[in-house]
Amino acid sequence: MNILFSPLGGNDPVSEKNFFDGSMIHICRYYDIDKVYLYMTKEIWEKHEKDNRYVFFINKLAEYKNKKIEYIIIDDKDCENVQVYDQFLFKFEKEINNIISSLSDEDRFFINISSGTPAMKNALVILQDLNEYDCKFIQVATPTKRMNENEHSNNPDWESMWEFNLELEINGENRCTENKCPSLSRLRKEEIIKKHIDEYDYRAALSVAEGMDKRSTGHYIDELARAVNRYNLDMKKVDADYKEGSIDMTPVKSGNARKIFEYALWLSTKLKRKEYIDFIRGITPIVVELFEVVLKGRGKLDINDYCKMGDNKVRMWDSSKVINKLPGRDDSIQDIVNKEYQLKNNYSNSEKKFELKMIYSEALLYLIKNIIDNTDLAETASNIRSVEANVRNLAAHDIVSLDEKNIEEKTEFTPEKIMGMIKKLFAYTSFGIKKEDWNSYEDMNQELKRRISEHREETTSC
């Protein structure tokens, strides 16, 4: 059933000046309305009482369409100050809520925002903004596409006006348009979503979008969910949810390279969000991974050949293998690590030795310095390792507060320089990372925001 709520104005039901439909009848005609709620203030009620003009035209249209059009009169005959819109906010809200509560799933609800006083029209638009009704707001253009010229007689001949109604011509024009201007509430929420995206807070952005009408988020909400999964480093879900037209989120595609690079991008977002504790705590996994990759690519040393799976399936150094001489060298992993460890701590050969158990970056750094002949690489690796030694362990094991100044005081490097060193290590891998790849999150953010704006434009007529 098609149901209409309509205030009534001076040109309802038909203009006495040009014999064209007023807005209420015009909507009934072109939207095939089955039931219409007629809101009548004092002046309109008096006209209704005098000659039944509104019901007369509804019945004539029903006869013309060979159907029944039910009408319900909402009597507000005590309302005289029709220029005050505040009153209509509460009156219209009550009536519209009552109508909506009675609708079935198959019913379609329409509201006429062209009839009545400016106060009535404004009240209806404000209510839509506040409540986001699941209905269509209909505007009706004047036949001349300019302001109506009113002409009212004391005793209009409604029978003749129906007979000469110009809408009955075969080529009558549908002057209705659906007002698709998004509500201020929706616009505010979309701007909040964009703000969360700019701050790399995809979970918050998705949470806002999930609370909105699905019709207004359909163009981007799935991609927001993929962004959440990407930020959570869940590449399986990112790939599983890919559809034709989805955002190509990850510039690096191959397995291990993608895993490490996506982690580096995640770490970079922590820095941009000034989440320094998470940034510092997150350094160790990627430093270990990058040191391993560099050793394998530049030093031809795959440390997995010298490891075993310990308890709880944790990878550890294999004590029976780390003592074997490395190919083309006169020393072993154990020899190299012990030598560097003792030099660093001023130990003699008979003193304390480095325990090769878990895979830590310190031992990998010693191997890089001895196996790969590259001063710049050795310096970069040493500096990033010193960050771990000076501040990472503090952040990992103690409840502390860290800011940019604290980090620089403890490491001699700003967080930006630390991230720069991590980026520099990628240059010693074979991953083929391009400079623009580091902007991948920003590119994704721009595309997400573009889709939000584009969807707004596609569904907007104002």
Side-chain angles (χ1 to χ4, degrees), residues 69 89 99 114 117 147 155 192 231 248 250 293 387 426 430:
I69 301 178
L89 284 172
I99 295 169
S114 287
T117 65
M147 186 181 295
N155 296 292
I192 290 170
Y231 190 77
D248 185 5
T250 56
V293 170
V387 172
F426 274 90
S430 59

Side-chain angles (χ1 to χ4, degrees), residues 16-68:
E16 296 180 48
K17 175 74 174 179
N18 55 36
F19 289 10
F20 278 94
D21 284 348
S23 297
M24 181 272 291
I25 282 292
H26 199 73
I27 296 171
C28 290
R29 184 187 303 278
Y30 284 99
Y31 280 86
D32 200 27
I33 298 299
D34 301 292
K35 179 190 288 189
V36 55
Y37 289 82
L38 303 172
Y39 186 89
M40 298 185 182
T41 55
K42 183 176 187 295
E43 184 179 356
I44 299 298
W45 173 261
E46 289 173 351
K47 292 178 178 180
H48 165 68
E49 285 274 270
K50 179 180 179 181
D51 53 29
N52 199 36
R53 63 185 68 179
Y54 311 105
V55 174
F56 172 79
F57 263 80
I58 289 172
N59 288 335
K60 281 292 187 181
L61 181 63
E63 181 182 337
Y64 175 77
K65 284 179 165 286
N66 193 28
K67 62 175 289 183
K68 179 181 179 181

Side-chain angles (χ1 to χ4, degrees), residues 227-285:
V228 170
N229 290 328
R230 184 191 188 187
Y231 190 77
N232 290 337
L233 301 174
D234 193 340
M235 295 301 116
K236 287 185 178 179
K237 286 186 178 179
V238 171
D239 293 341
D241 293 337
Y242 183 87
K243 303 171 186 175
E244 185 178 353
S246 290
I247 300 172
D248 185 5
M249 292 185 173
T250 56
V252 179
K253 305 303 180 187
S254 61
N256 196 47
R258 184 196 204 191
K259 180 187 76 171
I260 298 173
F261 185 63
E262 282 296 318
Y263 186 90
L265 290 173
W266 172 86
L267 202 61
S268 180
T269 63
K270 290 294 181 181
L271 174 58
K272 292 165 185 171
R273 286 171 58 83
K274 300 186 183 301
E275 295 176 352
Y276 295 119
I277 293 287
D278 288 345
F279 173 72
I280 292 297
R281 287 172 179 165
I283 287 175
T284 291

Side-chain angles (χ1 to χ4, degrees), residues 294-344:
V294 171
L295 274 171
K296 185 175 180 179
R298 296 288 181 121
K300 308 304 178 187
L301 174 63
D302 186 348
I303 69 165
N304 288 306
D305 295 337
Y306 300 87
C307 295
K308 64 180 180 180
M309 297 304 293
D311 296 337
N312 300 321
K313 295 183 178 181
V314 176
R315 190 179 55 154
M316 303 181 67
W317 291 106
D318 189 329
S319 58
S320 66
K321 294 180 180 179
V322 295
I323 59 175
N324 296 331
K325 287 183 172 56
L326 295 172
R329 295 182 63 95
D330 293 330
D331 49 10
S332 65
I333 289 176
Q334 182 76 72
D335 295 335
I336 294 170
V337 173
N338 277 336
K339 181 189 71 171
E340 290 288 337
Y341 178 67
Q342 289 165 355
L343 283 172
K344 176 186 175 183

Side-chain angles (χ1 to χ4, degrees), residues 50 100 141 168 170 210 223 258 290 296 324 332 345 420 437:
K50 179 180 179 181
I100 289 175
L168 299 181
I170 295 176
E210 287 174 336
E223 296 303 283
R258 184 196 204 191
L290 284 172
K296 185 175 180 179
N324 296 331
S332 65
N345 295 285
D437 292 341

